[in-house]
Every structure is written in C-alpha cells, then in structure tokens.
Amino acid sequence: MEEELPPPQSDLPSPNPASSIDATLQKKHQAMLDRLSNRHQSRQKTATTSTTIDSTASFLSTFTESKRSIESQLNNSPNTPDPTLLKSHLANISSSISSLEKLVAESSYFLPSYELRSSLKCIENLKQSLENLNSQLLPKKKFSFKNKSTSKPNPGNSNTNPIPPNPSHIPQSIRDSPGIRNKENQILSKNFKNFKEIGEFTLSDLDSCEVRLIGCINALFVNRLRNCRVYTGPVIGSILLEEVENCVFVLASHQIRIHNAKSCDFYLRVRSRPIIEDCGGVRFAPYCLRYVGIEEDLTKAGLEEEKENWGNVDDFKWLRAVKSPNWSVLEESERIGCLEIEDSGSTEAEMEIEGV
C-alpha cells in the first residue's frame, strides 16, 4: 500500500483579509487628502485673485480721483501776472503728477498690463498739458546768441557759433532741467549729498563718457547716449531713457522706462517692472553699485529692499504670450560684478554742469 504524500506547501503567504482592508482604507484616505489639498489650493487661488481685483479697484479709484484733481488745477490757473504765484501753481501741479506717477510705480506689480499702460499714458497726457500750460503762462524769451565782444564780427569769417539742433522734439522738462549735456570722451562726476534737494536731472547727447552720480535725486532723464557708462545712486521717482546705444547703466529707481535702446546692459534695482519699448539686444542684471553712504540713500529713496524686479521686464511692443526676444537676462559670467565708485571732487567737467 502506497503512502500518501502531503500536498505541496506554497511559499506565498496566505491572503490576509485584514491586510487587504488596510490597503483599501489607505487608498481612500490618500484620495481624501488629495481632494482636500486641491480644494485648499483652489480656495487660495480664488482668494489671491479676489485680493488682486480688490487692489486694482482701490488703485483705479485713487488714480481717478487724483487725476480729476490735477485736471482741475490745470483748468483753474490763477488769473495773475505775478510770475511767483504762477510758478508756485505750476510746481504744485508738477508735484501732484509726480505723486500720481509714484502711485503707479508702487502698484504696477499687481496691475493688469492694460491698466498699467492706460495709467502711464494718462500721466504722459497730464505732463504734456502741464508743459503746454507752462509755455502759455510763462513764455520763454526767444533764444538768441549773445556776443560778449564789443567788436563787430568779420562778415567774411564763416567760423561763427554753430546753430544747435532743433530741440523741439525734446520735452520741455528735459530741456530745462539741470544736467550734463554735449560731452565726449570725459569722466563726469557729481555728488548731490551737499544739495538740499535736486528735482529733475538730465543726461543728454553724451558720447564715450563715464558718468558717476552720487546721492539722491527725484527724477532722471537720459537722452541720446552712445558708448557710455552711467552709474547712479537711487532716484526717488522715475527714470526715463531714450535713444541709447551700446551703453552700460547701473540704476536704482521706483520706475524705469526705456525707449529705443540698442545693445545696452542694465543693472537695476526697481520697485516696479522695468518697461521697454522699441528696444533690441538689451540685457538685465541686478543693481551692483557701492559708494560711501549708499545704504542711507537707498533707504531715503525707499529702495533698501531688493524686489527682484530687474528680471521681470515688460515689453510694451510685444503682445504675444511667449517671452519677448528683445531682452534677456545677462549671464553671471558676463556681469561686471560689484562696482565701487568714489566722489572724485569737482573736476573741470563737473563745474560745467548746467543748472546746479
């Protein structure tokens, strides 16, 4: 009689009903956690969108009220021949426009692009209206050359003073403000720390120059520069650059607008997004300037904190969803690094600065 063998034993453990139930519960629990997480993220996104909408609505209300106030000042100028009163009235309007421009700069990080463009355009119109009113109330005398010599010029001598180019396309504020103009192959320095207050300052028609501005000013205009290096302390208001080529700029400001720039590098600290128009080959990097007292100046201008906006550039002429090809971030290997400047004193070029 043959002996029966026991059935073969399996190496696999027998199914455990309790273990299967635990795995199922874990899956359900994880699914519930995922749903809660998605719901929380959705609520956060909705709250953020709601906050942005509320902030935009508040901005538009404040902006509209300020705009109406400025327009009222423009339309109700004092009927007096006293130039002192007229200048005071115009200065008040200019101050109101500057405050409105600062509001736009501080709010630009949450404003939709359309609202930002519309606000900037409105400010440009207000500035133009102020410029027209200034020309109407305080007309300037016609420009004429004065000959300091008492002798009559030789009619046969053709080497008379050249007539400057027609500046009619340049805004009045740029033409009249203190600044440095028409220089070539010079190092130009200015220390504003000894001045009580500097309003608008202009750099215009410079070629192959290095400009060093130490201290705070309220606004800076840069117009027609080629092959220049410009290093400036903080600007309390805004900076406007037009027609610059093959230059390096180290700038700090609440708002920076760049028009018609070609092959330029910008090292920026800015409270709002830098704005470019009709530009090509422009590159951006963080602000890197150092001089004695710069930290106090940055605090005075409200720029002590780096907002990382230097690389968040708006190209107003590029409306596609993809990034504009007109600007790029400057590679770290190509950056100039920390730049220290000193007050070189009153150089000959500095003494020729107009209006200061």
Side-chain angles (χ1 to χ4, degrees):
M1 185 175 179
E2 295 182 358
E3 188 177 335
E4 293 184 3
L5 298 174
Q9 298 294 324
S10 173
D11 294 335
L12 299 174
S14 58
N16 187 345
S19 177
S20 299
I21 293 174
D22 289 344
T24 302
L25 288 176
Q26 287 180 0
K27 289 181 180 180
K28 289 183 178 180
H29 182 65
Q30 184 61 45
M32 182 182 68
L33 291 177
D34 292 341
R35 287 196 300 272
L36 290 174
S37 177
N38 292 335
R39 186 180 302 172
H40 178 66
Q41 292 178 4
S42 177
R43 287 176 178 174
Q44 279 188 326
K45 185 175 181 180
T46 302
T48 300
T49 302
S50 177
T51 302
T52 300
I53 293 174
D54 292 343
S55 299
T56 302
S58 176
F59 164 81
L60 291 175
S61 175
T62 304
F63 184 89
T64 301
E65 183 178 351
S66 299
K67 173 177 172 289
R68 288 174 179 170
S69 175
I70 294 171
E71 289 173 339
S72 176
Q73 293 179 74
L74 288 168
N75 294 328
N76 295 280
S77 299
N79 185 16
T80 174
D82 187 349
T84 302
L85 293 177
L86 294 176
K87 287 180 180 179
S88 176
H89 177 68
L90 295 172
N92 289 335
I93 298 176
S94 178
S95 177
S96 298
I97 294 176
S98 296
S99 297
L100 190 60
E101 191 171 24
K102 185 176 181 180
L103 172 67
V104 174
E106 293 175 343
S107 306
S108 63
Y109 74 95
F110 64 78
L111 286 177
S113 295
Y114 172 78
E115 299 295 353
L116 181 58
R117 289 192 183 102
S118 178
S119 300
L120 292 173
K121 181 62 177 176
C122 178
I123 289 175
E124 287 183 1
N125 292 338
L126 291 174
K127 288 182 176 180
Q128 184 61 51
S129 297
L130 175 60
E131 187 175 319
N132 295 339
L133 182 63
N134 184 81
S135 299
Q136 176 185 341
L137 297 179
L138 299 172
K140 292 184 175 293
K141 296 179 180 180
K142 292 185 178 180
F143 178 82
S144 62
F145 289 105
K146 294 182 179 180
N147 191 349
K148 295 182 180 180
S149 174
T150 57
S151 60
K152 295 183 179 181
N154 184 356
N157 185 5
S158 60
N159 294 326
T160 58
N161 289 331
I163 299 176
N166 181 12
S168 60
H169 69 286
I170 306 174
Q172 186 73 31
S173 56
I174 296 180
R175 298 200 299 268
D176 294 345
S177 68
I180 305 174
R181 298 172 174 86
N182 303 305
K183 305 292 182 183
E184 185 175 354
N185 295 313
Q186 295 187 41
I187 296 178
L188 307 155
S189 66
K190 187 66 184 177
N191 191 334
F192 297 105
K193 287 182 173 293
N194 297 325
F195 292 86
K196 184 175 181 181
E197 181 179 355
I198 294 294
E200 300 168 343
F201 196 80
T202 296
L203 304 175
S204 181
D205 296 286
L206 306 180
D207 190 352
S208 304
C209 291
E210 179 176 311
V211 181
R212 307 168 185 171
L213 303 181
I214 295 176
C216 290
I217 55 177
N218 289 340
L220 177 65
F221 300 111
V222 180
N223 188 43
R224 293 198 302 268
L225 267 62
R226 295 178 66 251
N227 307 314
C228 291
R229 293 177 175 268
V230 178
Y231 313 130
T232 77
V235 175
I236 297 174
S238 61
I239 298 176
L240 172 62
L241 302 99
E242 293 188 330
E243 298 182 42
V244 294
E245 182 178 355
N246 195 30
C247 295
V248 174
F249 295 95
V250 182
L251 311 168
S253 179
H254 280 258
Q255 184 183 68
I256 297 176
R257 300 186 66 185
I258 305 166
H259 299 168
N260 297 303
K262 308 297 180 187
S263 303
C264 292
D265 290 343
F266 295 90
Y267 295 80
L268 306 180
R269 176 175 293 189
V270 58
R271 285 288 300 273
S272 58
R273 297 188 296 265
I275 296 170
I276 64 173
E277 293 182 79
D278 298 313
C279 296
V282 292
R283 304 185 297 179
F284 293 84
Y287 190 65
C288 58
L289 190 66
R290 294 289 181 271
Y291 60 78
V292 176
I294 190 172
E295 296 300 333
E296 291 83 354
D297 290 340
L298 288 168
T299 300
K300 177 182 177 181
L303 295 166
E304 65 274 16
E305 184 180 353
E306 173 59 75
K307 297 290 186 178
E308 303 292 339
N309 281 324
W310 58 267
N312 189 17
V313 180
D314 273 346
D315 187 346
F316 274 14
K317 291 297 181 71
W318 184 260
L319 304 179
R320 301 180 186 178
V322 297
K323 177 185 171 299
S324 166
N326 298 319
W327 70 275
S328 62
V329 172
L330 185 58
E331 296 291 339
E332 290 191 20
S333 60
E334 300 182 54
R335 297 176 188 176
I336 58 179
C338 182
L339 180 67
E340 294 192 12
I341 61 174
E342 297 179 354
D343 180 13
S344 60
S346 298
T347 64
E348 180 180 355
E350 181 184 4
M351 298 301 292
E352 296 175 359
I353 291 176
E354 303 172 15
V356 178

